[in-house]
Amino acid sequence: MAILQVLYHPDPRLRIKAAPVPVVDDEVRRLAADMMETMYAAPGIGLAATQVNVHRRLLVVDVSETHDQPLCLINPALLQKEGVERMEEGCLSVPGVFEEVERAERIRVRFQDLEGHTVEQDADDLLAVCIQHEMDHLEGKLFLDYLSPLKRSRITKKLTKAQKQVM
Ligand code: NI
């Protein structure tokens, strides 16, 4: 396994819409394993392939405190959403920024697992929010897009400046 390089906002590659995963094979399983390792090392609770510059519809999440409930969603589709939840979100691609975002409280999602089987799963609270956040990445969308333009541009300026200092 390997730790992958994560893209940081405002990298334009974070805005690419991901294409479906055509077949769940060893290459996809290896990517998922590397993404898990990258997520745990960060540490984070979710990571979308877009964030590691792979523009395929695949994401990993684990919202457990013990880091032992990994979930990989391939070609995820939202079947149902219900309720409203406001939660403070962060993102490995937007380091150091935490802002409240409104999402559905409960969702039902269909995806393929690492064996290529189609699965339907219900999720609520943090897991539901996390899956919705990661699914947005596959559309080239960031949680910052839900904030006011003024707030977003302030955050973008701050991150751009911070990245210049690192380089
Ligand atoms: Ni994110």
Side-chain angles (χ1 to χ4, degrees):
M1 293 204 288
I3 298 210
L4 305 169
Q5 177 85 47
V6 174
L7 302 177
Y8 297 114
H9 175 71
D11 193 311
R13 292 171 292 181
L14 286 168
R15 298 305 188 171
I16 299 171
K17 189 173 151 88
V21 173
V23 56
V24 181
D25 56 12
D26 284 344
E27 201 184 319
V28 170
R29 282 184 279 271
R30 190 167 59 237
L31 171 64
D34 287 346
M35 283 171 58
M36 288 281 185
E37 194 179 7
T38 306
M39 172 182 78
Y40 287 133
I45 58 171
L47 187 69
T50 308
Q51 292 177 274
V52 293
N53 200 27
V54 177
H55 302 283
R56 292 286 178 185
R57 306 188 79 79
L58 187 156
L59 60 91
V60 297
V61 295
D62 186 346
V63 298
S64 73
E65 272 170 29
T66 39
H67 289 183
D68 56 0
Q69 286 166 46
L71 204 54
C72 176
L73 282 66
I74 299 166
N75 298 322
L78 216 51
L79 301 179
Q80 273 175 38
K81 52 180 186 173
E82 251 179 37
V84 177
E85 173 110 48
R86 284 189 73 83
M87 222 181 253
E88 193 171 74
E89 297 188 16
C91 180
L92 295 180
S93 294
V94 191
V97 177
F98 300 90
E99 294 287 344
E100 254 192 21
V101 174
E102 201 172 287
R103 307 262 187 199
E105 190 183 10
R106 286 175 298 279
I107 59 167
R108 185 169 184 84
V109 66
R110 178 193 289 150
F111 57 94
Q112 285 168 276
D113 66 15
L114 286 168
E115 273 82 55
H117 298 130
T118 299
V119 180
E120 282 186 18
Q121 189 169 328
D122 294 314
D124 59 13
D125 295 322
L126 181 58
L127 181 59
V129 166
C130 186
I131 290 172
Q132 290 171 84
H133 173 119
E134 301 311 329
M135 284 180 71
D136 271 355
H137 277 299
L138 304 179
E139 303 299 326
K141 201 166 171 184
L142 298 171
F143 79 109
L144 300 178
D145 300 351
Y146 296 99
L147 308 178
S148 73
L150 179 66
K151 210 170 206 181
R152 189 164 57 243
S153 96
R154 257 195 230 131
I155 291 168
T156 302
K157 268 188 208 136
K158 195 177 98 185
L159 285 175
T160 306
K161 204 173 150 194
Q163 283 165 45
K164 276 193 187 128
Q165 281 167 352
V166 172
M167 287 172 208

